[in-house]
Amino acid sequence: MDLNAKDEEIRIVKQMCLRKEIASKRYDTDRFVAFCKAQKEGGEEIDNWTLEELQEMVVDFKLKYNDLLKQSTGESFKDKGILEDTSSVDSADFEGLSQEKSVNELSSDFDQSDFMIESFMRSATDAHERRRSTIDMGVKARTQMEMSEMVIRTRCRSIERGPVSNFSNVTVAVVDAKIVPGSFFSPNYVSYSVKTEPFDWTVRRRYSDFQWLRMVLRKTFPGYIIPPIPEKQTSGRFKQDFIEYRRVFFSYFLASLLQNEIFRRSKCVEIFLSVVDSGLFKARKKE
């Protein structure tokens, strides 16, 4: 599925606008989507709105939301000190986000966003390194008995058996991939279909799900080598050759896991391969 570059840029501008005016100001995003859905058929899809129409929806939603809060609490967002007075919100708030923006202007906006993201990531990395240093010091300070007990608990988890470990001829493959259009507050992403036999399990997973599986295995089995997954990439991730490269890589990753008896017994591997419902899968990941 090839996405039109211009349409994709416009969708990103819409999402940036909504994150700025709704999500970042702590309005209820689910209520906003429901509000848009009530206005017209297909209103829950961001591609069914022009940027100008979304600007009007944001203004109307803020006014209505503030009125509802004032009726129920006697206070406006401004009185509560949570948000700015929304009665003054108008289309001027969206200056610089016109749908007729040129590609060059959009690119400039994205470059500025990239700079902010890079700065944030550097700060996050520094904080992560400090935390890691602290954790390493704590681990070294543990007594030999504590370390032995941790190893015993890990071994106990590893011997639990499940459906995957009870069959010797289990096979898994990532059979296809498709681009899923973004919503009001989320970007496009690639969904991969994972099929496991002989159970006839077919689930859809995205890149972050593969990241989660590998992370959990590394934490659960610290002494084992976990097969790699493709590195995260932002640019060009919707190109067909790159999607196919990832599909093959993910198939190799999962097949390699099932070759190890310890990983075959892991509960997180079973959850990854068998839970179809996306909501239930998210809940099981938090267990």
Side-chain angles (χ1 to χ4, degrees):
M1 174 181 177
D2 295 322
L3 294 176
N4 183 281
K6 182 63 176 178
D7 290 342
E8 176 65 12
E9 288 174 347
I10 292 173
R11 182 184 294 118
I12 292 174
V13 171
K14 294 177 187 176
Q15 292 169 340
M16 290 172 58
C17 168
L18 293 178
R19 283 195 292 267
K20 172 179 177 287
E21 294 300 327
I22 301 295
S24 66
K25 295 182 179 178
R26 295 190 290 179
Y27 286 97
D28 189 323
T29 56
D30 290 335
R31 280 195 177 185
F32 177 77
V33 175
F35 178 76
C36 293
K37 183 178 180 180
Q39 306 308 308
K40 66 177 180 180
E41 184 177 355
E44 71 277 13
E45 299 292 339
I46 193 171
D47 292 333
N48 292 335
W49 298 90
T50 66
L51 183 58
E52 287 77 11
E53 290 173 337
L54 282 177
Q55 292 171 1
E56 295 176 2
M57 287 297 100
V58 168
V59 173
D60 292 344
F61 175 76
K62 285 184 175 183
L63 293 174
K64 182 176 180 180
Y65 205 92
N66 193 43
D67 288 342
L68 289 174
L69 182 66
K70 196 164 186 177
Q71 290 172 14
S72 61
T73 65
E75 297 177 295
S76 67
F77 288 166
K78 186 176 183 180
D79 295 332
K80 292 173 70 66
I82 298 177
L83 299 170
E84 64 186 13
D85 183 2
T86 57
S87 62
S88 62
V89 177
D90 56 30
S91 296
D93 291 336
F94 302 94
E95 183 178 357
L97 290 176
S98 171
Q99 191 168 7
E100 281 72 30
K101 256 190 169 183
S102 68
V103 174
N104 290 335
E105 288 175 308
L106 286 168
S107 298
S108 176
D109 288 343
F110 302 149
D111 290 342
Q112 293 178 13
S113 298
D114 289 343
F115 175 78
M116 294 172 65
I117 293 172
E118 289 177 3
S119 299
F120 172 81
M121 290 302 294
R122 283 197 296 270
S123 299
T125 300
D126 293 342
H128 172 74
E129 291 299 326
R130 289 194 295 270
R131 289 195 298 271
R132 183 175 180 179
S133 176
T134 302
I135 293 171
D136 288 343
M137 291 175 63
V139 171
K140 291 178 181 178
R142 289 176 181 169
T143 63
Q144 188 64 38
M145 181 178 295
E146 290 173 326
M147 294 298 292
S148 298
E149 290 175 352
M150 186 172 69
V151 170
I152 291 173
R153 288 195 299 270
T154 298
R155 287 175 178 172
C156 289
R157 285 197 300 270
S158 70
I159 62 175
E160 296 177 357
R161 301 186 68 87
V164 177
S165 61
N166 288 329
F167 287 80
S168 59
N169 61 335
V170 178
T171 60
V172 61
V174 180
V175 294
D176 69 50
K178 67 177 183 179
I179 299 173
V180 179
S183 62
F184 279 90
F185 299 96
S186 61
N188 300 332
Y189 66 92
V190 179
S191 172
Y192 299 89
S193 178
V194 180
K195 190 174 182 63
T196 307
E197 296 292 358
F199 309 107
D200 197 27
W201 293 338
T202 301
V203 298
R204 299 211 71 90
R205 299 290 182 253
R206 54 191 298 179
Y207 182 87
S208 58
D209 298 327
F210 287 91
Q211 279 187 313
W212 167 82
L213 177 59
R214 190 169 190 273
M215 177 194 69
V216 172
L217 290 173
R218 289 182 63 185
K219 289 182 177 180
T220 307
F221 308 107
Y224 290 81
I225 297 176
I226 311 300
I229 62 173
E231 293 185 359
K232 194 171 183 64
Q233 180 171 320
T234 54
S235 61
R237 66 184 185 279
F238 296 130
K239 292 182 178 180
Q240 287 301 317
D241 56 346
F242 181 72
I243 292 175
E244 176 62 14
Y245 160 76
R246 273 191 170 178
R247 185 192 68 78
V248 174
F249 209 130
F250 284 142
S251 279
Y252 172 80
F253 166 71
L254 294 174
S256 298
L257 290 181
L258 295 189
Q259 290 178 5
N260 187 308
E261 180 63 24
I262 298 299
F263 299 151
R264 287 163 63 93
R265 299 180 184 183
S266 172
K267 193 65 177 178
C268 64
V269 171
E270 179 185 335
I271 290 171
F272 182 92
L273 297 176
S274 64
V275 178
V276 177
D277 181 77
S278 59
L280 179 59
F281 179 61
K282 288 180 180 179
R284 298 296 301 274
K285 285 167 64 176
K286 297 177 181 178
E287 293 179 355

